[in-house]
Amino acid sequence: MMKQISWRKIALKPFLFFSIVMILKMVLVWAVVFRHEGSLIQSLLVGIPPVWFIFSLLESYAYKRKLSAYLIADLVLTIIYFAVIMYYKYFGVIVTYHELRQVNQVSEVNSSVFSLMDPYYLFVFTDIVVIFVLMLSNKRFKAFARGLRFRENRGLLGIGQVVMLVLCAVIILPFRNGMNELQQAKNMGVINYEAYVAFAPSKDLKIDPQTVTPDMVAQVKGITDPAQPAYWEAAKGKNVIIIQLEAFQNFLINLKLDGQEITPNMNALVKNTLYFPHFFQQVGQGNTADAEFVVNTSLYVPPNGAASEVYADRELPSMPKNLANHGYRTATFHTNNVIFWNRDQLYKALGWEKYYDNTFFGDSDPVAFGSSDEVLYKKTSEELGKFQQEGKPFYAQIISMSGHHPFRIPEAKFKMKLPDRFKGTLVGDYIQAQNYADYALGQFIQELKANGVWDNSVIVLYGDHQGLPVYSLNSKEKDLMKEIYGRTYTVPDMMNIPLVVSVPGQDAKVFDQIGGQSDIYPTVANLIGVSLKDQVHFGQDLLNQTENVLPQRYYLPSGSFITEQGAFVPGTSFNDGKTYKLDGEQVNKPLEDKTEYDKARKLISMSDGYVSSLPKLK
């Protein structure tokens, strides 16, 4: 007589229970990350095999401590899923083991991390907490756990392991050559993708670094320097002051909400300076520190990790070194601790003569992670006044910070009345913080004009990176951005930052060509009359070039670039890519021919090879 099946015993088997738990967590990942990229069924079908492979290994080799082993596996997998969700919410990419080197930065930006987290995300840890508490405190549950100390049929487990491993390989192999990392993670499943990335080869093209020269870069870019460049030596002998504005996006320029100007001081500058409205970020995982690197070297960020950590051990050709060779003194100013993002080492590699951090600015009037922009600008203007009195030109870089995510400045710093519909939203907090940052900037401008520095300096202002990730906005916040733009807020909008250049004696002008942060160094060099003919650089002088291609990394998948046609994002290859036009339209095909795609890939591979070949810092 056939025995009756005990469904209760089957349901209590760890393999089945934890499989159901992991499927629920995969559903959450799909809902946050992949909902617009693929179906839920597809996500589950590619997500289950690696989990079952792990669980079958536990059944074979950890059966003596079966429940504890499952709980540890559950915890590890849950941490991966949770990290994927949180990282996607800010960067729009899938976190991998490469980002582990940035774990030490989390404590500095914990307010930003927590602001991205919807409370229900924490439910992914519920089962782990409940089971752990029961294992510690409930005698019946302890007895149940001891009763699980047996091994299932070894033959079936062995077959299951082989089948699951084969399935994982079948899932991974067709997509291993894809360019778009988000598409790869969707097609492979999160766990398969994480395992694949650990062993995946570089997506760089093979470039002999010895062949990377200024002429070769110009040839690939398709540009030629004019015989008599415009604005050459227009600011010869003048100071250079670069102001990096935290999270400042271009849409803020001339924006009014209910009649209120958000950035009146930047608006006034735009009317009287050289203004580049189609200017874009080129940062990677290091965000603000990456912007410092790109602007001062005209090189691209590394494929993984922050430039301040990956490239800080190299003898970097840089603007501080070049200007120092032409008689400039150099200094950089930031109210945070210099060890944050490994800046102390980056600054050595860049060749800064002196840096000013929180030991100089103190900890008074805190906003974000250091003293306020008011303190930054007040003390910096006094120091720059001293520099000028010495009679030697100087290059100063100033890093603002009060506009940092999550944009929750003290109420005492509010300088505008935020419309009710914007209150309690990330967009509203962002606008409020940037309004204050602009107020502090206005004070700095007045101080520089009062001490005579302004009229004797080239002043360059730009945003370091986006402030409002499209992936972080809820439906109400997307509607607010639609109100501001008059259309849907898109990827190129997010990456669009302003560039403003004040040159003594030069009339105001708007330059409509595409530009990026790598273009600042050659543009400044042209203004002060410093040749870059013998220095490898990947940017171009925006005052003398009208066509451009901007390879992108990290905030967009590998193979992405921006031109006047828009932001191109590949799929598994070039042919199934999408173009996000600068006017907000999305086109589900490439608008450029493959030449621009190949050019962007080659340029970024050339930069990687060139930097890696530089001598180690002594």
Side-chain angles (χ1 to χ4, degrees):
M1 190 171 177
M2 186 179 293
K3 288 185 178 180
Q4 187 175 2
I5 296 174
S6 175
W7 293 107
R8 183 173 181 274
K9 284 186 177 181
I10 293 175
L12 290 177
K13 284 184 177 292
F15 190 101
L16 179 59
F17 174 80
F18 283 98
S19 292
I20 294 171
V21 167
M22 298 316 300
I23 287 172
L24 292 174
K25 296 179 184 185
M26 291 177 206
V27 171
L28 177 61
V29 174
W30 172 83
V32 177
V33 181
F34 299 121
R35 176 178 290 181
H36 303 294
E37 300 290 335
S39 71
L40 173 59
I41 299 301
Q42 178 198 16
S43 288
L44 295 180
L45 289 176
V46 298
I48 291 172
V51 171
W52 279 358
F53 174 70
I54 294 169
F55 287 177
S56 64
L57 289 178
L58 299 183
E59 292 284 349
S60 292
Y61 302 108
Y63 61 93
K64 292 183 179 180
R65 294 286 184 271
K66 188 179 291 186
L67 190 59
S68 297
Y70 268 99
L71 193 62
I72 292 170
D74 184 5
L75 177 61
V76 171
L77 292 172
T78 301
I79 289 173
I80 292 173
Y81 289 141
F82 185 74
V84 165
I85 290 171
M86 296 303 297
Y87 216 76
Y88 176 82
K89 288 283 286 182
Y90 189 81
F91 288 103
V93 299
I94 303 299
V95 66
T96 68
Y97 80 96
H98 295 293
E99 282 69 56
L100 291 176
R101 71 186 83 190
Q102 264 69 62
V103 168
N104 62 321
Q105 312 294 349
V106 172
S107 62
E108 287 280 351
V109 295
N110 51 29
S111 59
S112 290
V113 173
F114 290 132
S115 72
L116 295 172
M117 186 170 60
D118 287 325
Y120 72 85
Y121 294 168
L122 292 175
F123 283 122
V124 296
F125 294 101
T126 302
D127 60 303
I128 298 168
V129 173
V130 170
I131 294 173
F132 183 72
V133 170
L134 288 173
M135 288 177 68
L136 290 180
S137 60
N138 189 290
K139 291 182 179 179
R140 291 183 63 185
F141 193 83
K142 289 179 181 179
F144 166 73
R146 287 194 295 270
L148 297 174
R149 294 176 182 176
F150 63 90
R151 181 158 51 187
E152 301 284 358
N153 186 295
R154 297 183 65 178
L156 288 177
L157 288 174
I159 293 172
Q161 290 159 21
V162 172
V163 170
M164 291 304 111
L165 199 57
V166 170
L167 280 176
C168 289
V170 169
I171 291 168
I172 290 172
L173 290 176
F175 306 105
R176 67 189 187 281
N177 295 322
M179 291 299 295
N180 186 317
E181 290 85 359
L182 188 61
Q183 291 286 332
Q184 280 186 311
K186 178 202 74 173
N187 292 327
M188 294 181 181
V190 168
I191 303 304
N192 280 332
Y193 175 73
E194 297 294 341
Y196 165 77
V197 169
F199 303 99
S202 169
K203 293 183 179 180
D204 279 356
L205 303 173
K206 293 186 183 301
I207 302 289
D208 180 359
Q210 300 303 316
T211 66
V212 180
T213 64
D215 288 341
M216 182 185 178
V217 174
Q219 180 181 348
V220 173
K221 289 174 72 75
I223 59 174
T224 303
D225 290 332
Q228 294 182 322
Y231 294 92
W232 174 255
E233 295 187 341
K236 185 177 178 61
K238 300 294 185 182
N239 306 317
V240 175
I241 301 175
I242 286 182
I243 306 172
Q244 184 168 293
L245 301 171
E246 174 64 40
F248 196 98
Q249 291 182 221
N250 191 60
F251 78 87
L252 295 165
I253 301 293
N254 294 322
L255 174 65
K256 289 184 179 181
L257 292 183
D258 296 353
Q260 297 178 92
E261 275 190 293
I262 305 305
T263 59
N265 293 296
M266 281 292 286
N267 298 347
L269 282 178
V270 165
K271 294 176 183 176
N272 297 286
T273 58
L274 311 181
Y275 172 46
F276 300 80
H278 304 303
F279 192 76
F280 295 88
Q281 69 177 55
Q282 290 180 285
V283 301
Q285 189 179 340
N287 268 347
T288 299
D290 274 357
E292 294 178 66
F293 169 81
V294 174
V295 167
N296 282 291
T297 63
S298 194
L299 302 170
Y300 302 133
V301 294
N304 298 296
S308 57
E309 296 187 333
V310 179
Y311 290 158
D313 63 342
R314 302 289 170 173
E315 292 279 3
L316 298 171
S318 71
M319 183 153 44
K321 291 177 181 177
N322 200 349
L323 268 59
N325 291 336
H326 285 80
Y328 281 71
R329 70 173 302 177
T330 66
T332 180
F333 299 79
H334 193 313
T335 60
N336 204 341
N337 192 309
V338 73
I339 66 172
F340 187 45
W341 282 113
N342 202 41
R343 278 191 176 90
D344 55 335
Q345 300 305 309
L346 176 65
Y347 289 168
K348 290 178 184 177
L350 292 174
W352 286 107
E353 178 184 340
K354 188 173 183 179
Y355 65 77
Y356 295 78
D357 70 344
N358 62 346
T359 57
F360 172 77
F361 291 103
D363 55 5
S364 63
D365 195 28
V367 175
F369 313 120
S371 295
S372 69
D373 281 0
E374 289 175 87
V375 173
L376 166 72
Y377 291 138
K378 177 67 176 174
K379 291 193 172 184
T380 299
S381 65
E382 293 171 355
E383 202 69 7
L384 297 186
K386 295 175 184 177
F387 288 178
Q388 177 144 296
Q389 290 174 7
E390 296 174 3
K392 183 179 181 180
F394 61 82
Y395 166 34
Q397 170 187 265
I398 300 139
I399 312 298
S400 74
M401 196 165 60
S402 291
H404 199 287
H405 190 278
F407 318 118
R408 291 170 186 160
I409 62 173
E411 191 171 341
K413 299 295 185 186
F414 290 0
K415 303 298 178 184
M416 65 172 289
K417 180 175 172 55
L418 194 66
D420 288 342
R421 62 190 180 280
F422 284 85
K423 290 180 179 177
T425 68
L426 182 65
V427 176
D429 291 343
Y430 174 76
I431 287 171
Q432 190 96 65
Q434 295 301 343
N435 173 255
Y436 165 69
D438 180 80
Y439 164 81
L441 175 65
Q443 291 187 323
F444 186 46
I445 292 170
Q446 293 306 314
E447 289 161 0
L448 293 183
K449 289 181 176 179
N451 65 13
V453 172
W454 183 272
D455 291 333
N456 195 39
S457 306
V458 174
I459 315 286
V460 180
L461 304 96
Y462 64 93
D464 60 352
H465 56 76
Q466 56 80 16
L468 294 173
V470 293
Y471 339 99
S472 298
L473 305 182
N474 59 34
S475 58
K476 179 181 179 181
E477 291 161 345
K478 288 178 181 177
D479 288 341
L480 292 174
M481 294 305 291
K482 191 170 186 177
E483 174 189 334
I484 289 170
Y485 274 91
R487 56 172 175 76
T488 301
Y489 179 59
T490 64
V491 168
D493 298 328
M494 174 188 77
M495 302 182 73
N496 182 203
I497 54 178
L499 173 64
V500 177
V501 184
S502 173
V503 184
Q506 296 297 319
D507 295 332
K509 185 175 180 180
V510 176
F511 293 81
D512 288 323
Q513 58 261 47
I514 298 294
Q517 289 163 327
S518 60
D519 299 321
I520 289 178
Y521 181 9
T523 302
V524 169
N526 176 66
L527 285 168
I528 62 176
V530 172
S531 174
L532 296 184
K533 183 179 179 181
D534 297 322
Q535 182 172 322
V536 172
H537 59 284
F538 289 83
Q540 59 196 47
D541 173 15
L542 294 177
L543 300 169
N544 288 280
Q545 302 291 344
T546 56
E547 294 184 1
N548 210 342
V549 57
L550 305 175
Q552 291 293 336
R553 236 179 196 157
Y554 215 72
Y555 278 91
L556 293 180
S558 297
S560 299
F561 60 90
I562 295 176
T563 67
E564 62 182 10
Q565 293 275 21
F568 172 76
V569 178
T572 54
S573 65
F574 171 79
N575 294 327
D576 61 341
K578 297 179 181 179
T579 301
Y580 299 86
K581 295 176 67 176
L582 301 187
D583 63 4
E585 182 184 354
Q586 178 180 324
V587 181
N588 293 326
K589 65 178 181 179
L591 289 181
E592 299 278 5
D593 61 35
K594 198 167 181 291
T595 303
E596 296 300 301
Y597 172 77
D598 292 337
K599 182 188 297 184
R601 285 197 66 198
K602 186 169 185 178
L603 286 169
I604 212 155
S605 298
M606 289 166 63
S607 178
D608 290 346
Y610 172 72
V611 178
S612 297
S613 71
L614 292 172
K616 290 290 186 84
L617 191 66
K618 297 178 181 179

